């Protein structure tokens, strides 16, 4: 088996040299092959993962060694293939990793040890998970619109300037965003699913006044905010949290709950709406760019057609 470590050299973790030195020593003692590929430009991780998948298929594992941006690119490179993805969270936010490793406080060393990458006794389960297809691209974590996109944008800039802040950069980014009017507009026509009745229904609105709209395959984004704490990666559904346009005082009271995963229709009555989505279309009536992002990567589409793609990516999970 070949293990292809795709490394983002500018990702947030400062211990990469020590980590890779230990992993290299392990691979010298076993029959499996370790291959290291560094990224140098946007799109490299997608291209590299796609090339190895095409050549080796299920006989290789692509190991993401970076943050959410690296995971996003590799998911796009591996979607619909038999090549599994393993995630070593070496970025700043590591939001997708928070979901698959079940904690907001990830210990990278423990993840590596749990996969057996330090002792050579490699162990993991490979399971298929869902992805979001949006305009032909793939999203593994969260697609969101509104103020959270502004927080993501500002948070990344802060983190780049002061890496030591880690995910706290995103918390700081909230301040300049919520001092501005919390009213944006968006139009949508979305196919939702009612779990209670087992039936589909349409959610439609033009020029909806909203503050944020998160459509979630996983649970965390923006450095640890949690709009969908109970999301499942393999249920063929996307959880959503839609927050109406509102005044500053209400948003301030919701922020701690949104971070803790307790902001919902009960705790945010009249403001927050939750449910499940299968597919839909989101657009701007005036043709201007949507204030949106996928996996923390901003896009400039003025219309997004999206759908859940059930079990379209193979993912390595730590064995229980």
């Amino acid at each position: 088996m070949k293990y292809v470590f795709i490394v983002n050299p500018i990702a947030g973790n400062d211990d990469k040299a020590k980590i890779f030195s230990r992993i290299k020593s392990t691979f010298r003692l076993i029959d499996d092959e370790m291959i290291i590929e560094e990224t140098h430009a946007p799109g490299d991780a997608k291209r590299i993962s796609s090339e190895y998948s095409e050549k080796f298929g299920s006989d290789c594992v692509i190991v993401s060694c970076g943050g959410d941006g690296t995971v996003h690119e590799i998911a796009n490179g591996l979607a619909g293939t038999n090549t599994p993805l393993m995630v070593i969270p070496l970025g700043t936010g590591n939001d997708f990793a928070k979901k698959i490793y079940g904690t907001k406080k990830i210990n990278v060393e423990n993840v590596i040890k749990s996969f057996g990458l330090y002792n050579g006794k490699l162990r993991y389960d490979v399971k298929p998970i869902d992805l979001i297809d949006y305009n032909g691209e793939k999203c593994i974590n969260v697609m969101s619109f509104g103020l959270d996109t502004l927080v993501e944008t500002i948070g990344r800039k802060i983190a780049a300037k002061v890496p030591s802040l880690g995910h706290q950069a995103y918390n700081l980014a909230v301040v300049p965003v919520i001092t501005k009017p919390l009213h944006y507009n968006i139009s949508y026509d979305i196919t939702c699913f009612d779990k209670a009745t087992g039936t589909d229904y349409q959610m439609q609105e033009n020029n909806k006044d909203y503050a944020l709209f998160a459509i979630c395959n996983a649970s965390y984004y923006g450095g640890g905010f949690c709009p969908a704490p109970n999301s499942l990666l393999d249920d063929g559904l996307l959880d959503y949290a839609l927050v109406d346009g509102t005044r500053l005082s209400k948003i301030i009271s919701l922020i701690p709950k949104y971070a803790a995963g307790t902001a919902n229709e009960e705790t945010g009555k009249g403001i927050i709406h939750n449910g499940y989505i299968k597919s839909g279309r989101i657009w701007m009536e005036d043709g201007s760019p949507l204030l949106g992002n996928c996996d923390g990567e901003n896009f400039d589409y003025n219309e997004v057609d999206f759908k859940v793609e059930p079990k379209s990516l193979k993912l390595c999970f730590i064995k229980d």
Side-chain angles (χ1 to χ4, degrees), residues 73-90:
E73 284 200 18
I74 295 174
N76 274 266
L78 298 182
T81 74
N82 290 319
T83 304
L85 163 66
M86 180 184 288
V87 177
I88 303 250
L90 295 176

Side-chain angles (χ1 to χ4, degrees), residues 9 12 35 48 63 76 94 96 108 125 138 151 154 157 174 195 199 214 220 232 234 237 250-251 265 286 311 318 320:
I35 300 169
I48 294 167
V63 186
N76 274 266
N94 300 311
F96 182 68
V108 177
D125 292 318
K138 312 301 177 186
V151 171
I154 297 172
K157 292 179 180 178
V174 170
K195 283 191 174 181
T199 58
Y220 300 96
L232 299 174
D234 60 356
L237 297 171
K250 287 196 173 185
I251 285 290
E265 290 180 343
D286 62 3
K311 299 182 178 180
I318 294 171
D320 295 332

Side-chain angles (χ1 to χ4, degrees), residues 39-298:
T39 61
H40 301 285
D44 279 357
K46 177 183 177 181
R47 174 185 55 78
I48 294 167
S49 59
S50 179
E51 289 173 353
Y52 276 97
S53 175
E54 185 175 348
K55 188 172 182 179
F56 297 108
S58 60
D59 291 327
C60 77
V61 173
I62 304 297
V63 186
S64 174
C65 303
D68 292 304
T70 306
V71 172
H72 170 82
E73 284 200 18
I74 295 174
N76 274 266
L78 298 182
T81 74
N82 290 319
T83 304
L85 163 66
M86 180 184 288
V87 177
I88 303 250
L90 295 176
T92 302
N94 300 311
D95 287 313
F96 182 68
K98 291 180 176 72
K99 177 66 177 180
I100 60 175
Y101 300 133
T103 177
K104 292 180 75 170
K105 296 181 179 180
I106 297 173
N107 184 307
V108 177
E109 295 284 333
N110 286 344
V111 171
I112 295 170
K113 290 175 183 176
S114 296
F115 280 129
L117 291 169
Y118 278 164
N119 63 16
K121 299 177 181 179
L122 302 181
R123 58 191 305 272
Y124 51 87
D125 292 318
V126 177
K127 301 175 184 179
I129 67 166
D130 304 337
L131 293 175
I132 306 172
D133 179 283
Y134 65 106
N135 290 1
E137 298 184 62
K138 312 301 177 186
C139 173
I140 194 171
N141 192 36
V142 175
M143 175 169 66
S144 65
F145 304 86
L147 72 83
D148 43 10
T149 296
L150 293 176
V151 171
E152 286 269 10
T153 303
I154 297 172
R156 281 199 308 275
K157 292 179 180 178
I158 294 173
K161 292 180 179 179
V162 190
S164 60
L165 286 173
H167 72 272
Q168 294 299 327
Y170 296 92
N171 295 333
L172 293 175
V174 170
V175 178
V177 172
I178 63 174
T179 58
K180 299 177 181 178
L182 302 174
H183 295 271
Y184 311 102
N185 292 103
I186 200 171
S187 296
Y188 50 75
D189 182 1
I190 294 173
T191 300
C192 300
F193 182 75
D194 187 330
K195 283 191 174 181
T197 63
T199 58
D200 296 346
Y201 65 95
Q202 292 301 119
M203 183 169 71
Q204 301 171 311
E205 192 152 359
N206 294 87
N207 283 322
K208 163 71 176 176
D209 176 27
Y210 81 111
L212 67 85
F213 190 10
I215 299 172
C216 310
N217 188 41
S219 295
Y220 300 96
Y221 74 140
F225 289 95
C226 186
N230 299 316
S231 65
L232 299 174
L233 291 169
D234 60 356
D235 63 349
L237 297 171
L238 307 172
D239 296 40
Y240 78 82
L242 175 61
V243 180
D244 294 335
T246 187
R247 60 182 182 272
L248 176 61
S249 60
K250 287 196 173 185
I251 285 290
I252 287 177
S253 66
L254 284 175
I255 288 174
K257 298 174 185 177
Y258 202 68
T262 59
N264 52 48
E265 290 180 343
E266 292 298 317
T267 61
K269 288 184 178 180
I271 302 175
I272 300 179
H273 314 278
N274 302 109
Y276 305 96
I277 291 174
K278 289 184 173 180
S279 62
R281 182 170 71 97
I282 297 174
W283 71 97
M284 296 296 293
E285 294 285 343
D286 62 3
S288 61
L290 285 158
L291 184 60
N293 75 89
C294 275
D295 297 341
E297 302 295 321
N298 290 5

